[in-house]
Amino acid sequence: MLAWCALLAATAVAQDAGDLYQAFLDLANDGVAMNIAAHPDDEDGATLAYYRMKYGVRTYSVLFTRGEGGQNEIGPELYEELGVLRTAETEAAGRILGTRVRFLNLFDFGYSKTATETFRKWGGAQEVLRRLVFAIRKYKPDVLFTNHNTVGGHGHHQAVAITAIAAFDAAADSTMFPEQLRLPGVSLWQPRKLYFRIFGRDDQQPDVVHRIGDTNAVLGCSYLDIAAEAIGMHRTQGMDGGRLRAFTQGKSLYKLVRSNSSYERDSTSFFGGIDLWSDASLEPLMPLRERLALLHPHLALDSLLEVASYVFGEIERLSNTNVSPAGQRMLDQWGEEMEHLVRLALTASTSWTLSDTLVVPNQRVPSTFILTVPNHPIAWFKAVPIVPQGWAINDVAAELPAPSSRVVRRTFELIVGDGATFTYPKIVAQYNPIEAEAVVAMRVWFTVRGRTVRLTVTPTFDVAPYQLLSVTPHITRFARSDVENGKRFSYTLTNLAPRKTAGRIVVQMPKGWLSETATFVIPNEGGTDTGSLLVRPPSDVSAGEYQLRFKSEYAWSDVKARVFDLAVDKRVRLGIIKSFDNTLEEAARELGWEYRLLTSQDLERSLSSYTTIVIDIRTYFVREDVRKNNARLLEYVRQGGNLVVMYQKDQDWKPEYAPFPFHVGRKRITLEEAPVKVLLPDHPLFTSPNRITEEDWRGWVQERGVYFPEAVSEEYVRLLSCNDPDEPPLTTGYLLAHVGKGSYIYTSYVWYRQLKEFHPGAYKCFVNMLSYPLYRAEATRHGNGAGGIKGKRPE
């Protein structure tokens, strides 16, 4: 380290030693490793950091989904909105790991138990294979590795592992997805090895063991430490990197699953026995590789620039020859890594700023490019644009560098292509075809200290449609008994084109429906028009689901309308103990109930004014005040209250939180259409004030229930039975106990996802469980109370 500090002083390079060390290390290693995983946080961050920061291997993290089917532990966003959050979290983690993050844009539909279901919902095994083959052909890894396997755990994980095995050879097969081979930078590719992680299983011996707990001397921390920091970026998943060390015991263990030939075994490295230069097609690159080998941290700046100038010139020359795909991969890699080293050595900075960062097709966008080399005059400068087909750059003005100038400023006009792929809004763009990526960049050549080098810079911007239309609510309920009043929908229309826009907003509706229309005039870009439109179904509308489309000339927004009646008892006085979701309060507003979001102070006061208190999902995880006041909530039950507890996770739950202790397990029912059997159909929870029928269990989304209780005592009445195919029934997902004068309900069914969708049956069940105290006494008088069924355990 002392020698390195002396070098920094001698070469007048005031950059962080770790950055420079990494830059030299990158240029010393030509290997590429790709980690493939199903969801954000499934990546093996410690092993990625190990290869990146110990050996300088280029690493990719390829995610099949964006994790939008999971839970959100910091807010109410779900589905597409959650996918946007998790994308940003994964990219932040990737920056810490030094890995390049890529997504295959498959939809995360929630937990799955089988690869068969996963492939079916992902569009078939061939579609999944097509996407992974594309990534392999484009990024050309030597080694593939994954945390997943083909037989255990999440069905998504199984599908990833199965697809990895198939893609290993398919990527090199010209009969597989030949249309990909017509795309720039995509060519047949054969990885050398494929590894599956084995997590120390007794029945398998590892082929490779990485000591990820070792400390990197330059960085002063271990690869596990780096991975722990990265996994902490996954905030919506509540990830805590502190558990990584105990979980891994400082090692990652892998089994070789496939290889394209026999290699000498190396128990410490994926790359054991791999000689990239045994490929005869790389022979023309050998002189360039030999020149790169001259680079080392003690090299003087002039010598470094001499090597860099030669490297850039040879890359340009060789790229214009019939170089092999393996050769082109190396040339592209060397070019990027050499640019990074030059940037650090010269403390050079570049910026390319667009006057508008949210552009539309055909827009002409002024932009300014600035190159600064603070310590050295720029003697010569040339800019070469890199744009997709259909785009263009006009050279509007140039400020030529003076003999002693250290800054070059040029102004360009970027012309957006007519068929440009939209990258905004993110909730839509995140499902773009994976082939749709378009690169806009500026490659600048300049001369300093007598040597000509290059840098490449990309501007930050998004491509959007001319208009955006948002409508709220995007899903709602019409009561058949109240259709004459209709429902108002609020809209916001945003003009993203750099000009005035005007027109009309209309609603496309089923036959017989009526709606208002609205005109708008928006004088400039970024301006908005807001308003509301009344929509009214016909008086004889049938119960069911209907689609409404609000649209202008260039934008639309779809709304789902569910029509159903619901018996609502307005005597309910509701207290809601909120976690991070907002569904329960929105449902209470829809039902017209008076409610209060209970604070810590409320929990320490009398709760007797509430007929029902409902505890939201994961509340025991996020609310210390609820854990502290749980005894008061149980006393509220004993004194006649009705406490409804939505699902909690096993690690958040203590058996004593319930009046009669039970454990929360890990079992779940993932098939949303799994048949539901009502065990006590005449119980008031299924009759009052709404009669629950078989129809009310159809059309659920994502799953039935999660984290079902275990070791449940006979004090609880079991109300529902359900199971995934070929599995035994689970009967603990909807539990009722009478405690003193009151009632305690615990349910693992995912009501909140169904309530968000305005599912009729879910709303009926929700009303019944929160209204239970109002009907319990009446039901008991008629022989339908819990007293007659206590302790029964129907399966």
Side-chain angles (χ1 to χ4, degrees):
M1 181 61 77
L2 290 176
W4 180 249
C5 292
L7 168 69
L8 295 183
T11 58
V13 177
Q15 293 290 328
D16 178 76
D19 290 340
L20 271 169
Y21 175 84
Q22 185 70 54
F24 281 108
L25 188 63
D26 292 346
L27 281 161
N29 195 313
D30 302 322
V32 176
M34 178 184 286
N35 182 219
I36 54 178
H39 318 100
D41 95 345
D42 287 343
E43 64 270 23
D44 181 0
T47 302
L48 284 166
Y50 179 85
Y51 279 98
R52 181 82 180 90
M53 297 167 187
K54 182 174 183 177
Y55 295 111
V57 169
R58 173 167 293 203
T59 56
Y60 288 92
S61 182
V62 173
L63 290 303
F64 278 46
T65 77
R66 296 176 187 260
E68 66 272 37
Q71 302 169 36
N72 185 352
E73 298 197 2
I74 63 171
E77 297 87 356
L78 289 176
Y79 307 119
E80 292 85 354
E81 291 178 338
L82 180 57
V84 172
L85 294 178
R86 291 196 170 175
T87 296
E89 292 172 345
T90 305
E91 290 170 344
R95 287 190 289 273
I96 293 171
L97 298 171
T99 193
R100 297 159 186 249
V101 175
R102 301 292 185 267
F103 293 93
L104 299 187
N105 296 352
L106 291 159
F107 185 71
D108 183 355
F109 58 87
Y111 192 90
S112 174
K113 294 179 180 177
T114 67
T116 300
E117 180 196 27
T118 299
F119 283 129
R120 175 170 57 84
K121 293 195 173 183
W122 279 354
Q126 281 294 99
E127 171 59 20
V128 182
L129 177 63
R130 182 188 70 81
R131 299 192 191 202
L132 182 56
V133 164
F134 176 82
I136 292 171
R137 288 173 171 175
K138 185 173 179 65
Y139 305 117
K140 301 177 174 58
D142 302 302
V143 173
L144 300 172
F145 66 104
T146 179
N147 278 339
H148 307 324
N149 63 71
T150 61
V151 295
H154 202 314
H156 296 182
H157 297 179
Q158 298 172 39
V160 168
I162 292 168
T163 306
I165 293 174
F168 188 84
D169 290 324
D173 186 346
S174 62
T175 67
M176 299 294 292
F177 318 113
E179 70 283 355
Q180 295 179 352
L181 303 176
R182 295 191 290 269
L183 299 173
V186 179
S187 56
L188 295 177
W189 187 258
Q190 176 70 75
R192 313 297 182 98
K193 298 181 183 180
L194 168 63
Y195 288 91
F196 285 0
R197 196 170 182 179
I198 60 174
F199 296 100
R201 285 169 47 184
D202 294 335
D203 62 332
Q204 288 187 304
Q205 291 299 314
D207 292 311
V208 175
V209 178
H210 306 111
R211 299 184 63 86
I212 53 178
D214 288 355
T215 297
N216 183 297
V218 174
L219 301 177
C221 59
S222 72
Y223 308 104
L224 265 177
D225 293 332
I226 297 166
E229 182 182 355
I231 205 167
M233 296 295 101
H234 297 286
R235 295 179 59 240
T236 59
Q237 302 188 66
M239 297 303 296
D240 177 9
R243 295 195 295 266
L244 270 181
R245 187 172 294 278
F247 174 69
T248 64
Q249 297 183 340
K251 299 177 182 178
S252 68
L253 285 64
Y254 278 88
K255 191 75 177 176
L256 180 65
V257 177
R258 295 293 303 276
S259 67
N260 72 331
S261 67
S262 296
Y263 293 99
E264 180 182 349
R265 185 174 179 272
D266 183 343
S267 63
T268 67
S269 173
F270 287 154
F271 289 83
I274 295 177
D275 178 8
L276 300 180
W277 290 94
S278 64
D279 183 348
S281 73
L282 297 179
E283 185 176 349
L285 277 67
M286 185 59 74
L288 184 53
R289 174 71 266 180
E290 292 172 350
R291 186 65 68 94
L292 284 168
L294 299 176
L295 293 169
H296 58 84
H298 302 283
L299 199 64
L301 179 59
D302 284 335
S303 299
L304 186 153
L305 292 175
E306 180 184 2
V307 173
S309 181
Y310 171 82
V311 167
F312 289 131
E314 282 297 283
I315 288 174
E316 290 294 308
R317 183 185 69 80
L318 289 166
S319 293
N320 292 320
T321 65
N322 191 25
V323 67
S324 69
Q328 193 60 57
R329 187 198 81 175
M330 285 193 178
L331 293 176
D332 293 342
Q333 190 168 324
W334 293 339
E336 291 181 30
E337 292 168 353
M338 195 74 243
E339 284 188 15
H340 182 58
L341 180 57
V342 166
R343 191 183 298 270
L344 292 173
L346 293 175
T347 62
S349 64
T350 55
S351 67
W352 186 9
T353 306
L354 273 60
S355 63
D356 188 350
T357 57
L358 195 59
V359 303
V360 298
N362 297 309
Q363 182 175 347
R364 294 175 174 267
V365 191
S367 65
T368 302
F369 175 85
I370 300 175
L371 166 67
T372 303
V373 184
N375 301 314
H376 308 283
I378 302 169
W380 176 80
F381 175 89
K382 181 179 76 170
V384 179
I386 302 170
V387 294
Q389 186 175 4
W391 294 54
I393 288 180
N394 291 337
D395 192 350
V396 177
E399 178 187 302
L400 298 178
S404 61
S405 174
R406 288 164 168 77
V407 178
V408 174
R409 182 190 308 269
R410 298 188 73 168
T411 302
F412 302 91
E413 183 180 65
L414 175 67
I415 304 173
V416 183
D418 179 53
T421 300
F422 297 143
T423 61
Y424 183 90
K426 298 299 184 185
I427 60 172
V428 177
Q430 64 188 339
Y431 302 111
N432 282 344
I434 56 175
E435 301 88 349
E437 181 183 16
V439 176
V440 175
M442 188 72 70
R443 180 160 291 163
V444 295
W445 295 81
F446 59 100
T447 302
V448 292
R449 298 176 72 96
R451 300 295 177 181
T452 299
V453 294
R454 80 176 201 205
L455 293 175
T456 304
V457 60
T458 57
T460 299
F461 67 97
D462 279 300
V463 181
Y466 294 118
Q467 299 171 350
L468 287 181
L469 179 63
S470 64
V471 177
T472 55
H474 69 276
I475 180 169
T476 192
R477 164 184 171 250
F478 287 88
R480 293 180 65 199
S481 58
D482 192 33
V483 293
E484 66 274 8
N485 290 322
K487 182 158 292 191
R488 283 208 165 269
F489 293 84
S490 299
Y491 68 83
T492 299
L493 182 72
T494 303
N495 176 32
L496 299 178
R499 57 182 177 269
K500 176 181 176 180
T501 187
R504 180 178 295 274
I505 297 174
V506 300
V507 186
Q508 293 179 340
M509 303 164 293
K511 185 178 180 180
W513 290 56
L514 300 174
S515 78
E516 298 175 340
T517 63
T519 58
F520 64 86
V521 177
I522 305 176
N524 47 45
E525 179 181 1
T528 62
D529 182 82
T530 60
S532 67
L533 297 177
L534 179 68
V535 176
R536 183 182 297 115
S539 58
D540 59 349
V541 65
S542 300
E545 181 180 308
Y546 299 85
Q547 297 295 325
L548 311 175
R549 172 164 287 189
F550 292 69
K551 66 186 299 291
S552 64
E553 183 180 1
Y554 295 109
W556 66 87
S557 181
D558 289 334
V559 168
K560 185 187 298 182
R562 293 187 182 270
V563 177
F564 62 93
D565 284 327
L566 191 66
V568 180
D569 196 316
K570 295 302 178 69
R571 294 177 293 169
V572 171
R573 301 184 306 278
L574 181 61
I576 298 175
I577 301 179
K578 181 177 179 176
S579 56
F580 35 68
D581 192 59
N582 59 6
T583 306
L584 298 184
E585 58 198 280
E586 291 179 349
R589 283 196 295 270
E590 171 66 24
L591 296 168
W593 278 336
E594 293 185 9
Y595 70 92
R596 179 177 176 84
L597 298 179
L598 300 183
T599 65
S600 300
Q601 293 76 17
D602 292 327
L603 294 177
E604 295 175 354
R605 302 183 185 123
S606 173
L607 302 170
S608 60
S609 61
Y610 303 103
T611 57
T612 292
I613 295 175
V614 59
I615 297 179
D616 204 356
I617 59 170
R618 303 295 308 279
T619 298
Y620 285 94
F621 169 65
V622 298
R623 296 269 305 255
E624 181 182 359
D625 59 332
V626 176
R627 300 192 294 269
K628 177 181 175 182
N629 289 288
N630 190 73
R632 291 182 52 78
L633 291 167
L634 296 182
E635 182 60 26
Y636 158 79
V637 174
R638 284 188 285 269
Q639 295 302 318
N642 180 40
L643 185 63
V644 177
V645 183
M646 299 294 176
Y647 78 76
Q648 311 295 312
K649 287 186 76 170
D650 53 334
Q651 65 262 35
D652 309 332
W653 181 259
K654 293 181 179 179
E656 58 268 27
Y657 289 155
F660 307 109
F662 59 77
H663 295 275
V664 169
R666 300 289 294 175
K667 291 181 179 179
R668 61 174 74 205
I669 301 169
T670 62
L671 198 66
E672 58 267 31
E673 62 266 26
V676 176
K677 181 180 180 181
V678 177
L679 300 176
L680 301 167
D682 292 330
H683 192 280
L685 284 168
F686 301 116
T687 63
S688 303
N690 295 282
R691 169 67 68 173
I692 305 302
T693 68
E694 184 177 344
E695 179 67 24
D696 290 317
W697 303 106
R698 295 175 183 154
W700 276 43
V701 298
Q702 186 146 320
E703 58 203 347
R704 287 291 192 197
V706 293
Y707 314 122
F708 278 64
E710 298 174 345
V712 176
S713 68
E714 294 187 356
E715 282 81 6
Y716 291 97
V717 176
R718 303 181 183 208
L719 299 163
L720 296 177
S721 176
C722 189
N723 58 276
D724 278 325
D726 302 320
E727 293 186 359
L730 296 179
T731 61
T732 62
Y734 195 3
L735 301 172
L736 166 68
H738 287 169
V739 185
K741 301 176 183 179
S743 50
Y744 180 90
I745 296 172
Y746 185 95
T747 177
S748 294
Y749 284 81
V750 287
W751 304 106
Y752 81 109
R753 289 190 185 271
Q754 318 315 317
L755 293 174
K756 281 182 180 292
E757 294 291 315
F758 283 85
H759 186 278
Y763 257 89
K764 291 178 183 178
C765 288
F766 184 68
V767 169
N768 287 8
M769 71 177 77
L770 271 60
S771 305
Y772 181 62
L774 307 177
Y775 296 90
R776 171 189 171 190
E778 179 182 344
T780 303
R781 287 196 297 272
H782 289 83
N784 293 327
I789 54 177
K790 179 180 177 181
K792 288 190 177 180
R793 289 179 159 212
E795 294 296 337

